[in-house]
Amino acid sequence: QKEVEQDPGPLSVPEGAIVSLNCTYSNSAFQYFMWYRQYSRKGPELLMYTYSSGNKEDGRFTAQVDKSSKYISLFIRDSQPSDSATYLCAVGGSNYKLTFGKGTLLTVNP
Amino acid sequence: NAGVTQTPKFQVLKTGQSMTLQCAQDMNHNSMYWYRQDPGMGLRLIYYSASEGTTDKGEVPNGYNVSRLNKREFSLRLESAAPSQTSVYFCATKTSGGTDTQYFGPGTRLTVL
């Protein structure tokens, strides 16, 4: 079993839709949970970071972690064409390393 | 501040040639990482350096060597390039303590013919 599983999509939605992106992880030792956004031909950039179960909101973005189910989600409200990118989930423990999902390609159509 | 910079941006090599990818950061971070990103495979860790003077293997180290030259610079060397090393290479940095977030450079696109 992979340490982090992420549906690669692709996912195509109309502008204004609510987007839900999800990952599952297998190791309960993971303590940190992140979402990165990667535009085409660019490096990943940190979007959201959390270390506890529950929700964390930042503008149109909400990160949700359920440690009991080993499930992490990213919700995008009122999606915009500028949100079109690949979204990578990442989990980390205490060993300096992150484990990344394979990424979900999102396209928001005007 | 430039953040994390990588050189070169693009490179084409022939099988068997060698090259060094350079990474530099001005964020005063202790930890530095090299990843490769391939379609359908996601980001895979090649090597990392938790602090100046230390390096450790990641998930896919075969065919690569690294040097942590100083706190700012971390280079990745391909001694004898193979077509399987065609990929996009990213360098990342992380501060010690605090959060585990990593900050990425813009990447180097490498093609090995």
Side-chain angles (χ1 to χ4, degrees):
Chain A
Q1 183 185 8
K2 295 284 186 185
E3 286 195 297
V4 179
E5 300 272 10
Q6 182 175 9
D7 186 342
L11 187 60
S12 181
V13 301
E15 184 175 352
I18 296 174
V19 176
S20 172
L21 303 167
N22 309 294
C23 288
T24 58
Y25 62 95
S26 58
N27 190 340
S28 59
F30 290 131
Q31 304 168 36
Y32 309 103
F33 308 94
M34 288 152 237
W35 285 95
Y36 284 80
R37 178 174 61 195
Q38 185 176 21
Y39 290 114
S40 180
R41 306 181 82 84
K42 301 288 187 183
E45 58 176 339
L46 181 69
L47 193 59
M48 298 283 286
Y49 167 88
T50 185
Y51 57 89
S52 59
S53 283
N55 293 350
K56 181 177 181 179
E57 194 172 313
D58 184 0
R60 297 184 294 110
F61 298 89
T62 299
Q64 186 176 81
V65 176
D66 182 346
K67 287 187 176 180
S68 62
S69 301
K70 300 188 186 68
Y71 196 84
I72 60 177
S73 300
L74 178 71
F75 298 96
I76 307 174
R77 291 186 301 280
D78 187 25
S79 56
Q80 302 295 310
S82 58
D83 295 328
S84 297
T86 296
Y87 290 80
L88 302 157
C89 63
V91 297
S94 58
N95 63 355
Y96 296 97
K97 294 188 287 187
L98 292 179
T99 301
F100 288 85
K102 293 183 179 180
T104 300
L105 177 61
L106 170 68
T107 301
V108 181
N109 300 299
Chain B
N1 289 350
V4 182
T5 57
Q6 292 183 237
T7 55
K9 287 186 170 50
F10 303 93
Q11 185 71 49
V12 178
L13 292 177
K14 293 181 179 177
T15 298
Q17 288 184 317
S18 62
M19 78 161 295
T20 300
L21 282 65
Q22 307 283 358
C23 175
Q25 53 109 353
D26 62 4
M27 305 173 79
N28 201 33
H29 286 174
N30 290 320
S31 302
M32 299 185 73
Y33 305 80
W34 277 106
Y35 293 89
R36 60 178 290 174
Q37 188 175 39
D38 303 290
M41 301 295 290
L43 281 164
R44 292 183 291 171
L45 183 64
I46 305 171
Y47 270 94
Y48 70 103
S49 171
S51 61
E52 186 179 354
T54 69
T55 59
D56 285 286
K57 295 179 180 179
E59 183 184 353
V60 288
N62 291 345
Y64 305 94
N65 285 300
V66 291
S67 295
R68 184 72 183 268
L69 305 170
N70 47 54
K71 188 173 184 178
R72 290 189 62 248
E73 298 171 289
F74 189 37
S75 63
L76 179 72
R77 183 159 179 84
L78 288 70
E79 290 292 349
S80 179
S84 61
Q85 294 178 304
T86 293
S87 188
V88 182
Y89 291 86
F90 289 102
C91 176
T93 71
K94 186 185 87 69
T95 189
S96 57
T99 72
D100 255 13
T101 54
Q102 294 183 14
Y103 299 87
F104 285 81
T108 294
R109 292 185 172 272
L110 175 66
T111 301
V112 183
L113 301 175

